[in-house]
mmCIF file of all heavy atoms in Angstrom:
data_model
loop_
_atom_site.group_PDB
_atom_site.id
_atom_site.type_symbol
_atom_site.label_atom_id
_atom_site.label_comp_id
_atom_site.label_asym_id
_atom_site.label_seq_id
_atom_site.Cartn_x
_atom_site.Cartn_y
_atom_site.Cartn_z
ATOM 1 N N ILE A 16 24.791 -0.846 -4.128
ATOM 2 C CA ILE A 16 23.633 -1.690 -3.907
ATOM 3 C C ILE A 16 23.446 -1.903 -2.422
ATOM 4 O O ILE A 16 24.338 -2.385 -1.747
ATOM 5 C CB ILE A 16 23.774 -3.048 -4.610
ATOM 6 C CG1 ILE A 16 23.833 -2.875 -6.134
ATOM 7 C CG2 ILE A 16 22.614 -3.965 -4.219
ATOM 8 C CD1 ILE A 16 24.054 -4.176 -6.867
ATOM 9 N N ASN A 17 22.281 -1.471 -1.925
ATOM 10 C CA ASN A 17 21.988 -1.658 -0.515
ATOM 11 C C ASN A 17 21.434 -3.051 -0.236
ATOM 12 O O ASN A 17 21.784 -3.699 0.734
ATOM 13 C CB ASN A 17 20.981 -0.615 -0.042
ATOM 14 C CG ASN A 17 21.554 0.773 -0.109
ATOM 15 O OD1 ASN A 17 21.146 1.573 -0.946
ATOM 16 N ND2 ASN A 17 22.497 1.096 0.739
ATOM 17 N N ARG A 18 20.514 -3.467 -1.116
ATOM 18 C CA ARG A 18 19.947 -4.796 -0.941
ATOM 19 C C ARG A 18 19.318 -5.262 -2.241
ATOM 20 O O ARG A 18 18.969 -4.454 -3.107
ATOM 21 C CB ARG A 18 18.903 -4.820 0.185
ATOM 22 C CG ARG A 18 17.672 -4.006 -0.065
ATOM 23 C CD ARG A 18 16.648 -4.154 1.047
ATOM 24 N NE ARG A 18 15.450 -3.411 0.747
ATOM 25 C CZ ARG A 18 15.243 -2.164 1.124
ATOM 26 N NH1 ARG A 18 16.186 -1.525 1.804
ATOM 27 N NH2 ARG A 18 14.121 -1.531 0.811
ATOM 28 N N MET A 19 19.179 -6.556 -2.361
ATOM 29 C CA MET A 19 18.452 -7.186 -3.469
ATOM 30 C C MET A 19 17.507 -8.202 -2.873
ATOM 31 O O MET A 19 17.778 -8.751 -1.799
ATOM 32 C CB MET A 19 19.404 -7.857 -4.456
ATOM 33 C CG MET A 19 20.270 -6.883 -5.228
ATOM 34 S SD MET A 19 21.290 -7.698 -6.494
ATOM 35 C CE MET A 19 20.033 -8.105 -7.736
ATOM 36 N N GLY A 20 16.439 -8.458 -3.564
ATOM 37 C CA GLY A 20 15.503 -9.395 -3.009
ATOM 38 C C GLY A 20 14.399 -9.790 -3.979
ATOM 39 O O GLY A 20 14.457 -9.461 -5.171
ATOM 40 N N TRP A 21 13.440 -10.489 -3.434
ATOM 41 C CA TRP A 21 12.307 -10.987 -4.221
ATOM 42 C C TRP A 21 11.001 -10.612 -3.521
ATOM 43 O O TRP A 21 10.890 -10.722 -2.295
ATOM 44 C CB TRP A 21 12.376 -12.510 -4.347
ATOM 45 C CG TRP A 21 13.537 -12.963 -5.156
ATOM 46 C CD1 TRP A 21 14.788 -13.270 -4.698
ATOM 47 C CD2 TRP A 21 13.572 -13.177 -6.575
ATOM 48 N NE1 TRP A 21 15.588 -13.651 -5.752
ATOM 49 C CE2 TRP A 21 14.869 -13.606 -6.905
ATOM 50 C CE3 TRP A 21 12.624 -13.057 -7.589
ATOM 51 C CZ2 TRP A 21 15.246 -13.898 -8.207
ATOM 52 C CZ3 TRP A 21 13.000 -13.337 -8.881
ATOM 53 C CH2 TRP A 21 14.310 -13.750 -9.175
ATOM 54 N N TYR A 22 10.056 -10.184 -4.330
ATOM 55 C CA TYR A 22 8.699 -9.932 -3.889
ATOM 56 C C TYR A 22 7.762 -10.788 -4.702
ATOM 57 O O TYR A 22 8.146 -11.299 -5.758
ATOM 58 C CB TYR A 22 8.345 -8.437 -4.086
ATOM 59 C CG TYR A 22 9.006 -7.517 -3.109
ATOM 60 C CD1 TYR A 22 10.386 -7.309 -3.133
ATOM 61 C CD2 TYR A 22 8.265 -6.817 -2.168
ATOM 62 C CE1 TYR A 22 10.988 -6.439 -2.222
ATOM 63 C CE2 TYR A 22 8.850 -5.945 -1.269
ATOM 64 C CZ TYR A 22 10.206 -5.759 -1.310
ATOM 65 O OH TYR A 22 10.800 -4.902 -0.424
ATOM 66 N N ARG A 23 6.547 -10.929 -4.236
ATOM 67 C CA ARG A 23 5.564 -11.665 -5.031
ATOM 68 C C ARG A 23 4.170 -11.095 -4.867
ATOM 69 O O ARG A 23 3.860 -10.511 -3.839
ATOM 70 C CB ARG A 23 5.562 -13.149 -4.647
ATOM 71 C CG ARG A 23 5.035 -13.471 -3.244
ATOM 72 C CD ARG A 23 5.198 -14.957 -2.957
ATOM 73 N NE ARG A 23 4.672 -15.301 -1.640
ATOM 74 C CZ ARG A 23 4.801 -16.503 -1.079
ATOM 75 N NH1 ARG A 23 5.431 -17.474 -1.742
ATOM 76 N NH2 ARG A 23 4.299 -16.738 0.112
ATOM 77 N N ALA A 24 3.368 -11.256 -5.909
ATOM 78 C CA ALA A 24 1.996 -10.800 -5.914
ATOM 79 C C ALA A 24 1.100 -11.988 -6.248
ATOM 80 O O ALA A 24 1.040 -12.392 -7.422
ATOM 81 C CB ALA A 24 1.792 -9.678 -6.928
ATOM 82 N N PRO A 25 0.467 -12.578 -5.241
ATOM 83 C CA PRO A 25 -0.495 -13.675 -5.514
ATOM 84 C C PRO A 25 -1.683 -13.133 -6.295
ATOM 85 O O PRO A 25 -1.919 -11.922 -6.309
ATOM 86 C CB PRO A 25 -0.907 -14.144 -4.117
ATOM 87 C CG PRO A 25 0.156 -13.638 -3.193
ATOM 88 C CD PRO A 25 0.615 -12.354 -3.803
ATOM 89 N N PRO A 26 -2.451 -13.992 -6.926
ATOM 90 C CA PRO A 26 -3.597 -13.529 -7.686
ATOM 91 C C PRO A 26 -4.543 -12.668 -6.849
ATOM 92 O O PRO A 26 -4.982 -13.077 -5.782
ATOM 93 C CB PRO A 26 -4.265 -14.842 -8.107
ATOM 94 C CG PRO A 26 -3.193 -15.849 -8.091
ATOM 95 C CD PRO A 26 -2.278 -15.449 -6.996
ATOM 96 N N GLY A 27 -4.811 -11.470 -7.324
ATOM 97 C CA GLY A 27 -5.739 -10.579 -6.652
ATOM 98 C C GLY A 27 -5.207 -9.913 -5.398
ATOM 99 O O GLY A 27 -5.959 -9.262 -4.680
ATOM 100 N N LYS A 28 -3.926 -10.076 -5.126
ATOM 101 C CA LYS A 28 -3.340 -9.501 -3.908
ATOM 102 C C LYS A 28 -2.198 -8.563 -4.249
ATOM 103 O O LYS A 28 -1.674 -8.567 -5.357
ATOM 104 C CB LYS A 28 -2.862 -10.605 -2.974
ATOM 105 C CG LYS A 28 -3.994 -11.509 -2.463
ATOM 106 C CD LYS A 28 -3.469 -12.526 -1.476
ATOM 107 C CE LYS A 28 -4.589 -13.395 -0.952
ATOM 108 N NZ LYS A 28 -4.092 -14.397 0.040
ATOM 109 N N GLU A 29 -1.802 -7.772 -3.263
ATOM 110 C CA GLU A 29 -0.704 -6.832 -3.460
ATOM 111 C C GLU A 29 0.643 -7.554 -3.408
ATOM 112 O O GLU A 29 0.758 -8.670 -2.889
ATOM 113 C CB GLU A 29 -0.757 -5.749 -2.402
ATOM 114 C CG GLU A 29 -1.978 -4.861 -2.498
ATOM 115 C CD GLU A 29 -1.951 -3.739 -1.479
ATOM 116 O OE1 GLU A 29 -1.055 -3.746 -0.593
ATOM 117 O OE2 GLU A 29 -2.807 -2.845 -1.556
ATOM 118 N N ARG A 30 1.630 -6.863 -3.894
ATOM 119 C CA ARG A 30 2.993 -7.394 -3.886
ATOM 120 C C ARG A 30 3.591 -7.261 -2.476
ATOM 121 O O ARG A 30 3.554 -6.171 -1.876
ATOM 122 C CB ARG A 30 3.818 -6.622 -4.902
ATOM 123 C CG ARG A 30 5.222 -7.117 -5.084
ATOM 124 C CD ARG A 30 5.832 -6.568 -6.372
ATOM 125 N NE ARG A 30 5.703 -5.136 -6.513
ATOM 126 C CZ ARG A 30 6.007 -4.476 -7.638
ATOM 127 N NH1 ARG A 30 6.457 -5.136 -8.691
ATOM 128 N NH2 ARG A 30 5.869 -3.167 -7.697
ATOM 129 N N ASP A 31 4.185 -8.327 -1.981
ATOM 130 C CA ASP A 31 4.799 -8.349 -0.657
ATOM 131 C C ASP A 31 6.195 -8.978 -0.730
ATOM 132 O O ASP A 31 6.491 -9.744 -1.638
ATOM 133 C CB ASP A 31 3.938 -9.143 0.337
ATOM 134 C CG ASP A 31 2.711 -8.385 0.788
ATOM 135 O OD1 ASP A 31 2.800 -7.161 0.951
ATOM 136 O OD2 ASP A 31 1.648 -9.030 0.935
ATOM 137 N N LEU A 32 6.955 -8.671 0.289
ATOM 138 C CA LEU A 32 8.313 -9.200 0.366
ATOM 139 C C LEU A 32 8.294 -10.713 0.555
ATOM 140 O O LEU A 32 7.537 -11.238 1.373
ATOM 141 C CB LEU A 32 9.066 -8.556 1.538
ATOM 142 C CG LEU A 32 10.460 -9.103 1.803
ATOM 143 C CD1 LEU A 32 11.429 -8.669 0.689
ATOM 144 C CD2 LEU A 32 10.966 -8.655 3.171
ATOM 145 N N VAL A 33 9.172 -11.388 -0.197
ATOM 146 C CA VAL A 33 9.427 -12.817 0.024
ATOM 147 C C VAL A 33 10.720 -12.952 0.810
ATOM 148 O O VAL A 33 10.746 -13.607 1.872
ATOM 149 C CB VAL A 33 9.555 -13.571 -1.322
ATOM 150 C CG1 VAL A 33 9.922 -15.038 -1.070
ATOM 151 C CG2 VAL A 33 8.276 -13.449 -2.132
ATOM 152 N N ALA A 34 11.772 -12.351 0.322
ATOM 153 C CA ALA A 34 13.066 -12.411 0.988
ATOM 154 C C ALA A 34 13.971 -11.351 0.401
ATOM 155 O O ALA A 34 13.833 -11.001 -0.776
ATOM 156 C CB ALA A 34 13.711 -13.800 0.809
ATOM 157 N N ASP A 35 14.866 -10.831 1.222
ATOM 158 C CA ASP A 35 15.888 -9.946 0.690
ATOM 159 C C ASP A 35 17.197 -10.141 1.436
ATOM 160 O O ASP A 35 17.240 -10.786 2.493
ATOM 161 C CB ASP A 35 15.446 -8.477 0.663
ATOM 162 C CG ASP A 35 15.219 -7.865 2.034
ATOM 163 O OD1 ASP A 35 15.749 -8.397 3.038
ATOM 164 O OD2 ASP A 35 14.525 -6.833 2.101
ATOM 165 N N ILE A 36 18.251 -9.610 0.835
ATOM 166 C CA ILE A 36 19.588 -9.735 1.403
ATOM 167 C C ILE A 36 20.299 -8.409 1.219
ATOM 168 O O ILE A 36 20.296 -7.821 0.142
ATOM 169 C CB ILE A 36 20.355 -10.907 0.762
ATOM 170 C CG1 ILE A 36 21.736 -11.086 1.397
ATOM 171 C CG2 ILE A 36 20.447 -10.751 -0.757
ATOM 172 C CD1 ILE A 36 22.408 -12.414 1.014
ATOM 173 N N THR A 37 20.914 -7.921 2.298
ATOM 174 C CA THR A 37 21.588 -6.629 2.243
ATOM 175 C C THR A 37 23.000 -6.789 1.716
ATOM 176 O O THR A 37 23.534 -7.907 1.594
ATOM 177 C CB THR A 37 21.629 -5.980 3.617
ATOM 178 O OG1 THR A 37 22.507 -6.749 4.460
ATOM 179 C CG2 THR A 37 20.252 -5.895 4.229
ATOM 180 N N ALA A 38 23.626 -5.652 1.464
ATOM 181 C CA ALA A 38 25.029 -5.667 1.022
ATOM 182 C C ALA A 38 25.932 -6.328 2.061
ATOM 183 O O ALA A 38 26.950 -6.927 1.732
ATOM 184 C CB ALA A 38 25.501 -4.244 0.741
ATOM 185 N N GLY A 39 25.540 -6.236 3.318
ATOM 186 C CA GLY A 39 26.328 -6.840 4.377
ATOM 187 C C GLY A 39 26.009 -8.317 4.608
ATOM 188 O O GLY A 39 26.638 -8.960 5.449
ATOM 189 N N GLY A 40 25.018 -8.827 3.870
ATOM 190 C CA GLY A 40 24.695 -10.239 3.967
ATOM 191 C C GLY A 40 23.547 -10.570 4.923
ATOM 192 O O GLY A 40 23.245 -11.751 5.121
ATOM 193 N N THR A 41 22.925 -9.562 5.476
ATOM 194 C CA THR A 41 21.782 -9.817 6.354
ATOM 195 C C THR A 41 20.570 -10.224 5.529
ATOM 196 O O THR A 41 20.242 -9.550 4.546
ATOM 197 C CB THR A 41 21.449 -8.575 7.181
ATOM 198 O OG1 THR A 41 22.592 -8.221 7.968
ATOM 199 C CG2 THR A 41 20.279 -8.836 8.116
ATOM 200 N N VAL A 42 19.922 -11.292 5.929
ATOM 201 C CA VAL A 42 18.771 -11.779 5.164
ATOM 202 C C VAL A 42 17.492 -11.623 5.972
ATOM 203 O O VAL A 42 17.495 -11.625 7.199
ATOM 204 C CB VAL A 42 18.942 -13.260 4.753
ATOM 205 C CG1 VAL A 42 20.167 -13.412 3.843
ATOM 206 C CG2 VAL A 42 19.045 -14.154 5.952
ATOM 207 N N LYS A 43 16.411 -11.488 5.244
ATOM 208 C CA LYS A 43 15.092 -11.379 5.850
ATOM 209 C C LYS A 43 14.122 -12.194 5.025
ATOM 210 O O LYS A 43 14.184 -12.157 3.787
ATOM 211 C CB LYS A 43 14.650 -9.917 5.915
ATOM 212 C CG LYS A 43 13.298 -9.698 6.549
ATOM 213 C CD LYS A 43 13.066 -8.207 6.814
ATOM 214 C CE LYS A 43 13.103 -7.377 5.576
ATOM 215 N NZ LYS A 43 12.841 -5.947 5.831
ATOM 216 N N TYR A 44 13.228 -12.905 5.689
ATOM 217 C CA TYR A 44 12.246 -13.724 5.002
ATOM 218 C C TYR A 44 10.834 -13.423 5.506
ATOM 219 O O TYR A 44 10.641 -13.104 6.682
ATOM 220 C CB TYR A 44 12.509 -15.224 5.264
ATOM 221 C CG TYR A 44 13.793 -15.736 4.685
ATOM 222 C CD1 TYR A 44 14.929 -15.851 5.474
ATOM 223 C CD2 TYR A 44 13.878 -16.147 3.357
ATOM 224 C CE1 TYR A 44 16.119 -16.350 4.962
ATOM 225 C CE2 TYR A 44 15.054 -16.638 2.833
ATOM 226 C CZ TYR A 44 16.178 -16.739 3.636
ATOM 227 O OH TYR A 44 17.343 -17.221 3.112
ATOM 228 N N ALA A 45 9.886 -13.580 4.609
ATOM 229 C CA ALA A 45 8.485 -13.567 5.039
ATOM 230 C C ALA A 45 8.248 -14.814 5.891
ATOM 231 O O ALA A 45 8.842 -15.881 5.639
ATOM 232 C CB ALA A 45 7.556 -13.575 3.821
ATOM 233 N N ASP A 46 7.385 -14.674 6.888
ATOM 234 C CA ASP A 46 7.107 -15.812 7.776
ATOM 235 C C ASP A 46 6.639 -17.028 6.992
ATOM 236 O O ASP A 46 6.953 -18.176 7.347
ATOM 237 C CB ASP A 46 6.079 -15.425 8.817
ATOM 238 C CG ASP A 46 6.616 -14.479 9.861
ATOM 239 O OD1 ASP A 46 7.850 -14.370 10.012
ATOM 240 O OD2 ASP A 46 5.810 -13.828 10.541
ATOM 241 N N SER A 47 5.903 -16.798 5.934
ATOM 242 C CA SER A 47 5.298 -17.904 5.185
ATOM 243 C C SER A 47 6.304 -18.742 4.419
ATOM 244 O O SER A 47 5.970 -19.848 3.992
ATOM 245 C CB SER A 47 4.254 -17.348 4.209
ATOM 246 O OG SER A 47 4.855 -16.440 3.305
ATOM 247 N N VAL A 48 7.524 -18.240 4.250
ATOM 248 C CA VAL A 48 8.517 -18.991 3.479
ATOM 249 C C VAL A 48 9.722 -19.420 4.314
ATOM 250 O O VAL A 48 10.609 -20.123 3.797
ATOM 251 C CB VAL A 48 8.999 -18.195 2.239
ATOM 252 C CG1 VAL A 48 7.829 -17.734 1.405
ATOM 253 C CG2 VAL A 48 9.887 -17.023 2.665
ATOM 254 N N LYS A 49 9.774 -19.006 5.565
ATOM 255 C CA LYS A 49 10.900 -19.379 6.424
ATOM 256 C C LYS A 49 11.025 -20.900 6.494
ATOM 257 O O LYS A 49 10.042 -21.610 6.695
ATOM 258 C CB LYS A 49 10.722 -18.787 7.822
ATOM 259 C CG LYS A 49 11.000 -17.314 7.906
ATOM 260 C CD LYS A 49 10.783 -16.790 9.314
ATOM 261 C CE LYS A 49 11.059 -15.298 9.397
ATOM 262 N NZ LYS A 49 10.799 -14.743 10.765
ATOM 263 N N GLY A 50 12.265 -21.370 6.350
ATOM 264 C CA GLY A 50 12.535 -22.793 6.409
ATOM 265 C C GLY A 50 12.338 -23.498 5.081
ATOM 266 O O GLY A 50 12.712 -24.662 4.939
ATOM 267 N N ARG A 51 11.758 -22.816 4.100
ATOM 268 C CA ARG A 51 11.525 -23.433 2.786
ATOM 269 C C ARG A 51 12.284 -22.726 1.675
ATOM 270 O O ARG A 51 12.726 -23.374 0.723
ATOM 271 C CB ARG A 51 10.017 -23.414 2.447
ATOM 272 C CG ARG A 51 9.148 -24.156 3.434
ATOM 273 C CD ARG A 51 7.706 -24.266 2.936
ATOM 274 N NE ARG A 51 7.056 -22.970 2.758
ATOM 275 C CZ ARG A 51 6.568 -22.522 1.597
ATOM 276 N NH1 ARG A 51 6.648 -23.252 0.512
ATOM 277 N NH2 ARG A 51 5.983 -21.322 1.543
ATOM 278 N N PHE A 52 12.431 -21.418 1.784
ATOM 279 C CA PHE A 52 13.107 -20.625 0.757
ATOM 280 C C PHE A 52 14.466 -20.155 1.300
ATOM 281 O O PHE A 52 14.593 -19.867 2.497
ATOM 282 C CB PHE A 52 12.274 -19.391 0.383
ATOM 283 C CG PHE A 52 11.014 -19.677 -0.386
ATOM 284 C CD1 PHE A 52 10.498 -20.978 -0.487
ATOM 285 C CD2 PHE A 52 10.333 -18.643 -1.014
ATOM 286 C CE1 PHE A 52 9.348 -21.232 -1.185
ATOM 287 C CE2 PHE A 52 9.166 -18.881 -1.711
ATOM 288 C CZ PHE A 52 8.663 -20.178 -1.793
ATOM 289 N N THR A 53 15.418 -20.041 0.395
ATOM 290 C CA THR A 53 16.747 -19.547 0.762
ATOM 291 C C THR A 53 17.192 -18.522 -0.277
ATOM 292 O O THR A 53 17.197 -18.810 -1.486
ATOM 293 C CB THR A 53 17.768 -20.680 0.825
ATOM 294 O OG1 THR A 53 17.357 -21.662 1.758
ATOM 295 C CG2 THR A 53 19.149 -20.139 1.252
#
């Protein structure tokens, strides 16, 4: 497993990254959820 994460598709919009975490523990967040999602 290289990474696992979450994506989301708002109504009428394409699916985009919310957050993911790599096998090494590196995390990435969409700007819109930083500070709110973990």
Side-chain angles (χ1 to χ4, degrees):
I16 295 177
N17 295 109
R18 65 176 183 268
M19 292 185 73
W21 294 90
Y22 286 68
R23 68 185 182 186
K28 297 184 179 180
E29 295 184 351
R30 184 164 51 189
D31 285 322
L32 176 71
V33 176
D35 65 20
I36 183 168
T37 68
T41 300
V42 298
K43 181 168 60 179
Y44 294 97
D46 288 342
S47 59
V48 307
K49 285 180 180 177
R51 300 188 298 120
F52 290 13
T53 302

